[in-house]
Amino acid sequence: MEIKTLNLTEIRTNPLNIYEEQTIKELADSILQWGQLENATVYEDEQADGKRYTLVGGHRRFLAISYLAERNLYQPVIHVNVIEKPIENIEEKMMIVADNHQRIKDKSTKIREIQYANDYWNYLVSINQKPQLEEGQRKRDWIAKKTGYCARVVQDILTEIKRQNEPTQAGETSQRQQTSNKAKAIKQLNQAILNLIKLSDEELLLSDYQTVQNCIQTVREVITKIEGIDRV
């Protein structure tokens, strides 16, 4: 890790940040009185926007100093810790969560934090780096440590997330079932047409032959209607 003082114009805010940046004015007043007491955290990441660094921690400090600098009350610079760029987005999300333990958060923010931690656990498992747990501990205990919540809160929110996802999963299952039923019905109707064609090839009176042909046409129209169900 390297400590630097950067111009504000060199830094971009992080699009993965999930926190509402409130009470900027209060923090700006504190910085104006006492200076910047804590470094922000960035990683080097040159992009087409011309900025060289992306924030991981310290979004409020960055915005508060920007607020003061725009009013010529503070130098347009910020002290930062420069870290290595995270390899995966999920790692970066967890860094942002870790930097914001001290915040007072609403329920939706807590849900997103725990979802991030749960996704990170699943990512580690997928690359064969499943976290080691102490005896008697479970995944919720690991997430609790990462997010700063108690294990009970984590379990309640994980249960809520699972419940919210169930309607989607049920809907997908229902859609697959509907597709399967539709294909089955079309197959059976096509078989019915083949049977009717065989019947019409037999020696039938003209009136009977025409009746069979009308039935074939009706079945074909039914197939067309079924094929159009829920067509995107």
Side-chain angles (χ1 to χ4, degrees):
M1 183 175 67
E2 185 179 3
I3 298 175
K4 286 187 175 183
T5 298
L6 302 177
N7 193 288
L8 298 176
T9 58
E10 297 182 83
I11 301 172
R12 71 180 63 84
T13 55
N14 196 313
L16 298 177
N17 181 44
I18 61 174
Y19 301 96
E20 295 291 336
E21 303 303 342
Q22 299 173 341
T23 64
I24 297 300
K25 180 63 166 58
E26 293 179 14
L27 181 56
D29 290 341
S30 174
I31 291 174
L32 188 60
Q33 182 176 4
W34 305 107
Q36 182 188 342
L37 300 180
E38 293 183 65
N39 289 357
T41 304
V42 301
Y43 60 81
E44 193 165 358
D45 183 31
E46 292 194 49
Q47 296 183 19
D49 60 6
K51 300 181 186 297
R52 291 187 58 197
Y53 299 90
T54 297
L55 273 171
V56 175
H59 284 77
R60 287 181 68 241
R61 273 158 277 169
F62 175 80
L63 294 176
I65 292 174
S66 298
Y67 172 88
L68 293 172
E70 288 169 1
R71 291 159 177 76
N72 296 316
L73 298 173
Y74 201 84
Q75 289 293 314
V77 297
I78 185 170
H79 307 305
V80 300
N81 300 323
V82 183
I83 62 172
E84 290 187 10
K85 182 179 179 179
I87 298 174
E88 299 287 344
N89 275 1
I90 189 61
E91 293 178 290
E92 192 168 342
K93 289 177 180 178
M94 285 310 302
M95 288 180 181
I96 294 171
V97 169
D99 188 72
N100 287 275
H101 276 181
Q102 76 281 4
R103 288 191 184 225
I104 298 174
K105 305 155 190 172
D106 57 22
K107 185 176 181 181
S108 63
T109 301
K110 293 178 182 179
I111 289 174
R112 283 181 290 178
E113 284 187 333
I114 290 172
Q115 181 68 69
Y116 278 3
N118 188 56
D119 291 344
Y120 188 49
W121 168 281
N122 293 335
Y123 163 72
L124 292 174
V125 171
S126 73
I127 61 174
N128 297 318
Q129 292 185 17
K130 182 178 178 180
Q132 296 297 314
L133 301 177
E134 296 179 10
E135 186 177 353
Q137 287 192 330
R138 300 164 60 184
K139 178 172 72 171
R140 67 183 184 189
D141 299 294
W142 180 88
I143 292 176
K145 185 176 180 180
K146 287 290 183 182
T147 57
Y149 302 122
C150 70
R152 179 58 184 272
V153 169
V154 170
Q155 185 59 58
D156 288 346
I157 289 180
L158 286 176
T159 300
E160 184 171 342
I161 291 171
K162 182 179 179 182
R163 186 163 54 245
Q164 289 173 351
N165 289 334
E166 282 175 352
T168 300
Q169 294 169 352
E172 291 173 352
T173 301
S174 176
Q175 182 63 36
R176 287 195 297 269
Q177 184 63 46
Q178 181 182 10
T179 301
S180 174
N181 290 339
K182 186 164 69 171
K184 201 177 294 182
I186 290 172
K187 181 179 180 180
Q188 291 172 347
L189 288 169
N190 279 321
Q191 184 60 51
I193 289 176
L194 292 176
N195 293 337
L196 288 169
I197 289 173
K198 289 179 182 178
L199 180 62
S200 66
D201 288 341
E202 297 175 3
E203 293 184 3
L204 298 173
L205 295 175
L206 181 59
S207 58
D208 293 332
Y209 176 85
Q210 190 59 49
T211 298
V212 172
Q213 291 301 309
N214 291 341
C215 289
I216 291 173
Q217 182 60 33
T218 299
V219 174
R220 284 175 174 158
E221 290 173 359
V222 171
I223 290 174
T224 299
K225 290 180 180 179
I226 292 175
E227 288 175 337
I229 293 175
D230 293 333
R231 179 178 292 168
V232 178

